[in-house]
Amino acid sequence: MNLHIQSKLPSVGTTIFTIMSGLAAKLNAVNLGQGYPDYSMSPELVALVNEAMKSDFNQYVPMQGYMPLREALAEKIEFLYNASVNPDTQITITPGGTYAIYTALTTVLQPGDEVIVFQPCYDSYIPNVEINGAVAVLIDLKFPEYKIDWNEVRQKITPKTRMIMLNTPHNPSGSILMQDDIDQLRSIVKDSNIFILSDEVYEHLVFDDLPHQSMLRYPDLAERSFVCFSFGKTYHCTGWKLGYCITSPELTVEFRKVHQFNCFSCHSPSQVALSTFLKNKEAYLSLGAMMQKKRDYFIGLMQDTRFELLSSKGSYFICAKYNRISDEKDSDFAIRITKEYGVAVIPVSVFYKNQTDNNVIRFCFCKKEETLEKAVAGLRKI
Ligand SMILES: Cc1ncc(COP(=O)(O)O)c(C=O)c1O
């Protein structure tokens, strides 16, 4: 008998988010590490879910997702991005954004394919590429703005390049794609067979009146893109793990083949509730300003610390250099400040495959003002 298996992800261990959140809980530290709100979601949306359950929406909805929800999403996309998306053939509801990304990669990738991945990046990207037998071709975003060097992208494209993975607004840096990035991307993929995976889970969390550069705005990009979203980020309910993927009708057929034997269909009452709540435009249109206020409040509080904050144009996150304080490795520094000053943060090196360390940590500011105040009271002592 040989019950030994060959790991499909030999270099993967427990993620830093689990480690830092565990440490924060054990030490009762303020947790500015993992990205989730510590304030309540909309009571109206909670009531709608309760109502859906009481009204007996508790059985499977179709594999593609509850149709009224997909219709509401198509209307929203038309309104926001001036794009016509067919709810029947182009939208699939998924159990979260991460799952949508994994499913899209699994739909497209064959062993040996190359995928351009910009780092630092959300921690699932590289394992998701590699578990499909494909190769992540890594490109560092230019520090400290975390911008894409499109010339480097041109150099790294080969006949094996199958996909480019994008994330705007970007976790962990808070950078966003601008019009010139879109122009460069369009010229690079034109006449190629390259697909785009566009992680837009923070689509509404864009600050300073800048537009969210969704792939859906550009028909030539949309036709080759899998665009992934998360209701968790939009409605302050990350624990719901509900999202969706939008792609062309042809690609949707293949996406759903993978999806239907993995999850099949997602939580019904939440979909019913969201199909009504989505009609409330204000709930998502006000999100950017609300989160910008939190960013600015945090920046204001941090003025009299020794951290040097970098720019954040979107997402839940802002990064900071700490080289005025220490030259420790960022992971050692993050663990030490959690233990000594009671504030949990994430070292940015964990978002690089080779642990590139620029002495930068990531703060999550989607927290109550009192949480941010308590955290900064600790950070001021450093
Ligand atoms: C860039 C990015 N993509 C995807 C996700 C995951 O979204 P979900 O919780 O819906 O799977 C996150 C969550 O932290 C994220 O930061």
Side-chain angles (χ1 to χ4, degrees):
M1 197 161 68
N2 178 5
L3 298 178
H4 180 74
I5 59 165
Q6 192 184 341
S7 174
K8 288 201 171 160
L9 296 171
S11 56
V12 168
T14 310
T15 76
I16 189 76
F17 307 100
T18 309
I19 294 168
M20 294 309 291
S21 286
L23 197 59
K26 189 167 140 211
L27 302 172
N28 204 16
V30 190
N31 192 353
L32 298 193
Q34 206 172 355
Y36 59 84
D38 68 346
Y39 46 86
S40 299
M41 62 177 292
S42 154
E44 197 188 330
L45 182 50
V46 171
L48 285 167
V49 180
N50 283 330
E51 205 179 295
M53 284 186 172
K54 285 185 198 146
S55 310
D56 237 356
F57 284 104
N58 297 305
Q59 307 308 329
Y60 295 130
V61 292
M63 172 273 278
Q64 306 88 324
Y66 183 57
M67 192 49 164
L69 175 58
R70 287 184 282 140
E71 283 165 352
L73 284 169
E75 268 173 43
K76 179 185 173 197
I77 287 155
E78 174 100 56
F79 165 70
L80 286 176
Y81 305 126
N82 197 22
S84 168
V85 168
N86 184 319
D88 192 26
T89 58
Q90 291 189 262
I91 305 178
T92 309
I93 308 296
T94 63
T98 313
Y99 173 104
I101 295 164
Y102 178 79
T103 305
L105 292 172
T106 303
T107 300
V108 169
L109 296 178
Q110 298 290 342
D113 284 347
E114 292 180 0
V115 180
I116 300 225
V117 180
F118 300 100
Q119 35 170 31
C121 62
Y122 181 56
D123 60 343
S124 76
Y125 293 179
I126 298 171
N128 282 185
V129 169
E130 291 178 347
I131 206 164
N132 281 295
V135 179
V137 174
L138 303 171
I139 297 183
D140 284 1
L141 295 170
K142 289 284 154 244
F143 182 74
E145 296 85 12
Y146 294 101
K147 292 273 299 169
I148 294 175
D149 177 343
W150 291 102
N151 284 332
E152 196 174 344
V153 177
R154 282 192 178 83
Q155 285 159 16
K156 294 250 165 96
I157 284 180
T158 76
K160 289 189 184 164
T161 308
R162 199 69 179 127
M163 202 175 229
I164 299 178
M165 293 185 79
L166 297 167
N167 172 212
T168 186
H170 181 253
N171 175 12
S173 74
S175 67
I176 58 171
L177 292 183
M178 305 293 277
Q179 187 63 54
D180 61 305
D181 295 303
I182 298 292
D183 296 343
Q184 296 269 10
L185 177 65
R186 290 174 98 170
S187 83
I188 286 176
V189 297
K190 191 168 172 280
D191 301 325
S192 80
N193 297 328
I194 299 173
F195 293 101
I196 295 167
L197 184 299
S198 187
D199 178 347
E200 302 185 12
V201 299
Y202 299 107
E203 68 175 323
H204 296 296
L205 303 177
V206 182
F207 313 140
D208 307 325
D209 292 324
L210 292 162
H212 169 57
Q213 290 291 2
S214 176
M215 296 304 121
L216 298 172
R217 288 182 191 274
Y218 305 94
D220 54 327
L221 296 178
E223 70 180 2
R224 59 176 76 236
S225 294
F226 292 83
V227 193
C228 301
F229 298 94
S230 169
F231 291 111
K233 309 290 181 187
T234 301
Y235 292 124
H236 318 288
C237 52
T238 59
W240 279 25
K241 293 299 292 186
L242 204 60
Y244 50 104
C245 177
I246 299 183
T247 188
S248 70
E250 296 72 28
L251 295 173
T252 296
V253 170
E254 293 302 317
F255 181 95
R256 288 178 182 168
K257 285 186 194 172
V258 180
H259 166 68
Q260 75 181 340
F261 296 125
N262 194 4
C263 152
F264 185 67
S265 82
C266 305
H267 194 251
S268 316
S270 315
Q271 294 189 60
V272 173
L274 285 165
S275 67
T276 304
F277 198 65
L278 226 66
K279 309 251 159 69
N280 176 354
K281 291 195 173 106
E282 199 40 38
Y284 57 80
L285 291 179
S286 60
L287 202 59
M290 178 258 194
M291 206 55 78
Q292 178 175 334
K293 223 170 122 199
K294 289 195 179 293
R295 177 200 65 174
D296 294 344
Y297 190 65
F298 183 67
I299 292 176
L301 290 172
M302 289 291 283
Q303 288 311 310
D304 50 1
T305 69
R306 291 156 72 206
F307 290 93
E308 190 184 328
L309 289 175
L310 302 176
S311 155
S312 167
K313 297 286 182 204
S315 80
Y316 283 164
F317 308 111
I318 189 163
C319 290
K321 295 206 274 185
Y322 60 84
N323 41 8
R324 282 187 258 181
I325 301 171
S326 160
D327 57 8
E328 276 161 282
K329 260 170 65 179
D330 65 357
S331 47
D332 292 346
F333 181 72
I335 289 170
R336 184 169 69 81
I337 68 170
T338 309
K339 288 183 176 161
E340 292 180 9
Y341 298 93
V343 185
V345 297
I346 301 290
V348 171
S349 65
V350 303
F351 299 96
Y352 290 86
K353 183 158 188 178
N354 48 353
Q355 270 85 49
T356 299
D357 185 355
N358 291 310
N359 290 158
V360 173
I361 53 172
R362 186 195 79 176
F363 296 105
C364 171
F365 53 76
C366 64
K367 306 288 176 186
K368 292 180 201 152
E369 287 192 352
E370 66 203 66
T371 308
L372 297 175
E373 285 159 13
K374 203 168 152 207
V376 177
L379 298 172
R380 281 197 185 110
K381 296 189 193 130
I382 304 176

